[in-house]
Structure formats: structure tokens, C-alpha cells
Amino acid sequence: MDGHNGLWQHLQAMVTRSILLLLVTAVGYYLAKGFTIRRRFQRMQRQGVPMMQHSVIWGHLEVIGKLMATLPSDAHGDYMQILIQKNWRELFPGRESCPPVFIVDTWPFTTPIIITIHPDVTSQYTQEVSRVKPREQKRFWYPLTQNLDLASMEGETWKEWRKKLSPGFSANSIASHIPGLVDEIEVFADTLREKAGRDGAWGKVFPLEPIAKDVTFDVIGRFILGTRLHAQTNPHLLLKTALVDIIPRMVFYLNPLNFFSYFNPYNQFRLWLDNRRMNAFLLPHVLSHIASKPGSTSTDKNRILPLALGKHQVNPDPNLIANVLGQLKIILFAGHDTTASTICWIFHVLSRNSKALSRLRYELDQVLGPDPSAKAVVVTLKAQPHLANQLIYTAAVIKETLRLHTNVGTMRSGGPGFTLYGPASTPEYAGMEFPTEGCVLWDGSWAQHKSPELWHRVEEFLPERWLVTDPEDPLYPPKNGFRAFELGPRDCIGQGLGVVEMKLVLAVVIREFEIEEDYGEVKGKEERVFGERAYQVGGDGTPGVKGGLPVRVKVRNVTGACL
Ligand code: HEM
């Protein structure tokens, strides 16, 4: 018995010592890394690189903390770019114009970041060369795809997969999907009809975002699997519940605030379980596709699953199957949240811009015929899917919404010897050097889309700017200025689908229904960002809309040709 106790105590002491040693090593590592970073920033500051006041102890934590404290606590982290841009006079004393690059040291909460807010700088690492994605991004995707996905792959592997999948996102492929996609959007219209009041009255206020997410989920599911998922009518759909559960568990910046919750065994278990559940849902679709001899029909040449599987094999390599599952999951993730939030922002801007709304409805009357009902539009688009190409003003509304309410941007790795240069068009910063070693490069597309130096009448919602063809017109968009889908080889592969999907949603619902934003009944503190109750929320993941965008709906009283 005594021998047992002795052994047990010895074991306990060993474990305690090992934990202590680990902790001391981790703290030592953090301190040493922090010291190196702070010293590098102090050196850059001495060399005259434009920078906000940097403290040798706190880096930029204090200044960023103060800026972010002016926003509600749930406001999205990407507002930081806009806050720095808006306050550049105080933050960069002695400068005559806003710097095109913000260097931010918020270690240990993030890796040091270089935010670029001028297209001539951002293009240096996304278009002239395409720098690799940062390891933070790969860590983010790992639990979902084990990095077997287009967004985290690099080099030849990425090239091969991008080439393989691209035909599935071509204009022809998307057009051939339209008849199926409008079936899904008709269900969205049915939901809106249920939420509308009786006999043309307003219905009760409800959040639009959840039903927008459901329709985009059904659309993307139909697009990649060729079958109906019914996320809109089945709240228990395993693929969706697993995805919804896994998203908030994934983290971009691992830091002292989220380290323990991320590595908490329960969180790790859920990450594992959600991924396993998604694979279990998707695998039978992949296997049944293999059994059906892909390549045997003419449409297979531009469908995602057959393209991903490649040449027919009776027993494909398990690695190939794992890669195909990874690609399906990234497309499901990237293709639904972004589009759903943008749909909400479109209704937000339209509920405040009656002229744009009238012009949009006018275009739909002209292109799709006078019957405004969702049913009639679905029938028309099924018979003539190419009509979606003629919705030019509708596309301009979508683009202008994305300019004002940008979703995600790109992040890349800086590195030793890779320097960014100030743009020639900004006399104060032309040719100025910005070393990038140890930093994440972040396209500040939120700030860039709101830069008065780049955009005429920057704060206004003006879809017309996207119809201007004369480069001398002040409204003509700046070169490389619109970056909502990013630019360069790693731009958004799904942008064509996203835009068509949003066009179809507008086409199907905007003439039958009136949709009005209404934050009036939202309980709790009345929080605002830049005076607006509708703002982007979230930590460092895909942004959502505050309160899911509360709206109310009524069926419009229109007969025949409207307006
Ligand atoms: C409003 C809708 C959308 C927006 C604003 C958007 C935006 C973006 C942006 C900014 C990137 C670059 C991200 C980065 O570099 O880290 C990206 C990449 C990507 N997007 Fe989208 N996206 C949208 C819709 C879609 C849709 C509908 C799909 C799929 C059907 C999709 C699939 C992807 C994929 C797979 C990538 C990675 C591409 C690569 O690295 O080669 N996106 N998207």
C-alpha cells in the first residue's frame, strides 16, 4: 500500500513539474517574441515609417483599444481599418495626408498586421505577386477541411485544384443551374409570404439573416451536390447544424483570450464531431456519384462533383476522396454566409433608397415582364435563364452594396526581403518603403471602399457609378479599387455564382414584396456604429448583420405592370 502511495505521489510531483515547466517555457517564449516585435516596431518608428504612437510596453494595444472602445462590443473587428482612416489626422501627427499603409502591433492578441488601404499597394502582394496565405488562416480552416481546400492550399496543389474546379464556376455552368436555383429561391419567397401580414398589411418584425442563410445554403447545396437539401424547411438538417456549430468554434488569431477555450477538450471534441458529421453527410453523395459513372452525361463537364473527382475510377484513392470532401466543405462555408449577409445589406440599402428601388423594379419589369409575382418570375427564369444577364442595374445595386458593406478581405504573409512601396499617386508617400517581415498583410478593403481620395461621393449609395464608361467622369470607379471579391489569381472563385444568386433573389422577391428594415422593436441597449443601428458584427470571422437585420414584410398591392 505504502509503495502505491509513494509511486502515486512521485507521479503527481512529476506531472506538476512538467506542467510548470511547460507554462514557464510558454511565458518565456511569449515574452521573448513580444520583445522582438516591440523592438522591430520601435526601430521602424525611428526610421520614419508612418506609424501610430507605439509604446515599447503596450505596442499599439492602447491606441487600438481606445479606438475600438468607441464602438459597441459586438461590432466587427474589421471596423478598426475605418476608425484609423477616419482619425488619421490625430493618429499620424505631422502627416499631410492619410498613409496608404497602417502598421499595427497588437501582439499578443494578433500577429503584427500591415493594413493596406490603397489599391496600388494592395496589388503589390495580390496581383503583381500573389503572396501565400498566413498560417493563421490555415489554422482557421484546419478543423473544417484539414487544409484540403482551395482557400488554404498553395503553389502547384492550389493551381491544380483551381484549374480543376474553375469550369464549374463559368458563366455557362452557372446559367445551366438557374432553373434549379430559382426553385430554392421560390421557397424563400414562400417564407416571406408567410411572414407578411394579411391583406397587404405589414407582418411582425423578424430577423432576415437566418432565412437568408437558409436559402443560400440550399442554393449552394443544389449547386455542388445537384440535390435539394431543404435547409429552408428542415431546421434539423445535419449538414447545416454541424456547419453552424463548427463556425464559431474556429479561431483565426490564437491568443491569451481564446487559447484555453479553443483547446478545451470539449471544444476540440465538437470540432472533431462536426467535421465528422459533415463528412458523413457528404460522403454518400460522393460515392453515389462515383457509382453513377461520372463523365457519362454532357453536363458533367461543368459540374463541381464530377470535376473534383476527375477521370472515372471504380475505387478512387482515399486521398482524392478526402480532398473532394475538403473542397465541398469550403465551398459550402464560403458560399453561404457571405452571400446571405450581402442579401441583407441589399435590403437595408434599398429600404432607404426609394429611387434606386424604383429603378430596380423598373428594370425587372422590362426584362422579366410585368407580372411581379414570385411564381411568374420563377416560370420566366426557368424558361429563359439567360435573362439574368440582362439585369444590368440589378448587378450595379449588388456591387454598390458590396462597396458600402464589404464582407471579407484577403490576408497574406509578409516576409524577410518583401517590401511594399508607397503609391506613386500619393506625393507624400510615393516610393516609401514598408518592410513586411513577421507581419500579416491585410487588404483593408472596408477602408479602401470608403476612401474619399478614391471614390467620388463616397458615402452615397450610387449604383449609377457602376454604369459609367467614361474614365473622365468623376464617378468612374478607380482602377483595382473594388475588392469585395478580391483581385488577382486568388480572387473569389464563386463571385459569378454569388452575383447571379443575389440577382435571382431580387428578381423573385423585390416586386412582390415590400421589405422594410425595422430596429424599433429590438430590445436591449440602442447601439450604433457611425450613427447606424445596422452594423457588421462578429469577431474575426465572416461578418454578420446586427440583430440579423430586423425587417417586416408586406405583399405589394400591384396588378399587372407595376409602378
Ligand atoms: C457576396 C458573396 C461573396 C463574397 C463577398 C466573397 C468574397 C471572397 C473573397 C474576398 C475571397 C478571397 C479570400 C481570401 O483571400 O482569403 C474569396 C475567396 C473564395 N470564395 Fe468567395 N465570396 C462570396 C461568395 C462566394 C461563393 C458563392 C462561393 C462558392 C460557391 C465562394 C467561394 C470562395 C472560395 C472557394 C474562395 C477561395 C478561392 C481561392 O483561394 O482560390 N465565395 N471570396
Side-chain angles (χ1 to χ4, degrees):
M1 206 56 186
D2 273 359
H4 265 266
N5 274 346
L7 186 65
W8 178 238
Q9 277 164 3
H10 182 67
L11 266 175
Q12 270 184 325
M14 247 175 59
V15 170
T16 315
R17 266 202 305 271
S18 309
I19 292 176
L20 272 176
L21 191 69
L22 262 174
L23 274 176
V24 170
T25 315
V27 171
Y29 167 80
Y30 255 75
L31 286 177
K33 189 151 185 182
F35 178 68
T36 316
I37 291 170
R38 298 282 194 267
R39 254 198 358 182
R40 190 172 342 120
F41 270 69
Q42 291 276 313
R43 203 168 43 241
M44 283 195 283
Q45 197 170 33
R46 280 196 299 274
Q47 287 164 354
V49 175
M51 196 186 289
M52 296 174 288
Q53 190 56 43
H54 183 265
S55 146
V56 74
I57 307 281
W58 300 109
H60 288 128
L61 285 172
E62 209 181 344
V63 63
I64 294 297
K66 274 189 189 152
L67 281 177
M68 294 306 282
T70 61
L71 301 180
S73 57
D74 59 352
H76 198 273
D78 287 18
Y79 279 117
M80 177 172 76
Q81 313 163 6
I82 301 184
L83 286 173
I84 302 176
Q85 183 183 43
K86 275 187 183 290
N87 294 288
W88 71 267
R89 282 186 180 79
E90 298 85 66
L91 296 172
F92 299 89
R95 295 281 161 192
E96 281 161 23
S97 53
C98 179
V101 172
F102 305 146
I103 307 184
V104 181
D105 170 13
T106 41
W107 171 267
F109 297 102
T110 69
T111 314
I113 305 171
I114 294 188
I115 308 173
T116 58
I117 62 151
H118 195 290
D120 293 352
V121 187
T122 311
S123 60
Q124 292 170 33
Y125 61 87
T126 54
Q127 291 158 265
E128 288 163 35
V129 292
S130 179
R131 296 281 302 178
V132 295
K133 300 280 178 84
R135 70 190 156 85
E136 286 81 355
Q137 185 158 333
K138 287 165 197 174
R139 184 194 316 108
F140 179 81
W141 292 122
Y142 189 83
L144 180 71
T145 67
Q146 293 71 59
N147 291 147
L148 300 174
D149 71 85
L150 210 53
S152 24
M153 286 172 165
E154 299 289 353
E156 284 308 309
T157 319
W158 167 79
K159 228 184 231 169
E160 199 185 298
W161 275 99
R162 178 98 187 194
K163 197 166 154 204
K164 237 179 161 186
L165 298 176
S166 285
F169 293 96
S170 67
N172 275 344
S173 166
I174 294 166
S176 70
H177 278 282
I178 288 179
L181 303 190
V182 288
D183 279 338
E184 306 300 339
I185 295 167
E186 194 175 6
V187 181
F188 179 64
D190 293 343
T191 310
L192 289 181
R193 210 171 291 113
E194 279 165 25
K195 303 227 176 241
R198 282 205 177 165
D199 306 322
W202 289 106
K204 286 195 181 133
V205 174
F206 67 96
L208 186 66
E209 202 168 35
I211 64 167
K213 281 189 185 179
D214 286 344
V215 66
T216 55
F217 201 83
D218 276 344
V219 163
I220 198 72
R222 183 83 176 242
F223 185 79
I224 57 175
L225 301 174
T227 52
R228 300 195 75 165
L229 293 177
H230 299 293
Q232 296 183 88
T233 46
N234 174 12
H236 307 296
L237 178 73
L238 192 64
L239 186 63
K240 173 108 202 284
T241 52
L243 185 63
V244 166
D245 190 68
I246 203 170
I247 293 173
R249 298 179 184 280
M250 293 155 64
V251 306
F252 195 89
Y253 292 114
L254 203 52
N255 61 42
L257 290 183
N258 60 22
F259 186 88
F260 291 104
S261 57
Y262 182 69
F263 285 111
N264 164 335
Y266 180 67
N267 191 52
Q268 290 296 314
F269 167 70
R270 292 304 302 224
L271 288 168
W272 170 82
L273 184 68
D274 288 335
N275 179 48
R276 200 180 140 91
R277 284 181 167 162
M278 290 177 75
N279 285 347
F281 186 98
L282 292 168
L283 190 62
H285 288 273
V286 177
L287 295 180
S288 84
H289 210 83
I290 293 168
S292 74
K293 295 207 177 97
S296 54
T297 68
S298 60
T299 50
D300 277 354
K301 66 180 185 306
N302 58 17
R303 291 290 189 259
I304 298 296
L305 246 183
L307 287 167
L309 283 162
K311 239 169 120 195
H312 178 59
Q313 305 166 41
V314 182
N315 290 312
D317 178 355
N319 279 335
L320 174 67
I321 302 288
N323 270 277
V324 171
L325 291 175
Q327 302 298 4
L328 293 180
K329 285 181 284 180
I330 197 75
I331 295 173
L332 274 171
F333 182 113
H336 95 287
D337 256 12
T338 47
T339 318
S341 303
T342 308
I343 288 172
C344 292
W345 286 116
I346 295 173
F347 288 115
H348 161 83
V349 293
L350 288 176
S351 88
R352 280 135 191 255
N353 290 278
S354 55
K355 266 194 189 154
L357 179 59
S358 301
R359 187 163 172 191
L360 177 68
R361 285 177 173 152
Y362 177 77
E363 177 175 87
L364 294 169
D365 285 346
Q366 298 304 302
V367 176
L368 301 175
D371 189 340
S373 68
K375 253 188 187 41
V377 176
V378 167
V379 170
T380 308
L381 282 166
K382 276 186 175 222
Q384 304 172 74
H386 62 274
L387 290 179
N389 294 335
Q390 294 176 26
L391 300 175
I392 309 295
Y393 186 75
T394 313
V397 166
I398 294 166
K399 250 180 139 172
E400 185 67 347
T401 305
L402 276 164
R403 181 183 73 80
L404 288 172
H405 303 282
T406 310
N407 199 276
V408 290
T410 195
M411 285 196 174
R412 305 299 171 93
S413 280
F418 184 70
T419 304
L420 296 172
Y421 295 93
S425 57
T426 56
E428 195 181 354
Y429 304 102
M432 189 177 271
E433 294 187 6
F434 297 89
T436 69
E437 184 179 356
C439 295
V440 164
L441 312 177
W442 181 18
D443 176 7
S445 47
W446 284 33
Q448 197 168 286
H449 288 163
K450 295 267 180 76
S451 165
E453 281 136 42
L454 295 170
W455 304 89
H456 188 56
R457 297 166 67 185
V458 64
E459 294 291 343
E460 290 174 59
F461 175 74
L462 287 175
E464 290 71 19
R465 73 173 84 242
W466 299 105
L467 309 176
V468 170
T469 50
D470 176 7
E472 299 304 316
D473 189 320
L475 274 183
Y476 189 74
K479 187 178 168 206
N480 292 333
F482 180 68
R483 309 192 71 92
F485 294 110
E486 266 315 318
L487 292 169
R490 296 207 73 156
D491 63 353
C492 174
I493 196 171
Q495 57 188 291
L497 174 64
V499 171
V500 166
E501 182 179 353
M502 292 184 267
K503 277 184 180 178
L504 299 179
V505 166
L506 285 172
V508 171
V509 307
I510 203 73
R511 289 184 298 160
E512 180 174 339
F513 302 99
E514 209 73 74
I515 301 174
E516 203 173 75
E517 177 185 311
D518 188 350
Y519 276 88
E521 290 180 23
V522 176
K523 297 203 171 58
K525 212 161 85 195
E526 199 180 299
E527 295 177 304
R528 291 174 189 268
V529 170
F530 308 133
E532 286 286 351
R533 293 198 71 185
Y535 58 84
Q536 310 230 47
V537 292
D540 53 12
T542 316
V545 189
K546 173 70 179 180
L549 192 72
V551 295
R552 50 199 183 126
V553 177
K554 70 175 180 184
V555 176
R556 291 177 72 224
N557 180 16
V558 277
T559 43
C562 48
L563 306 171

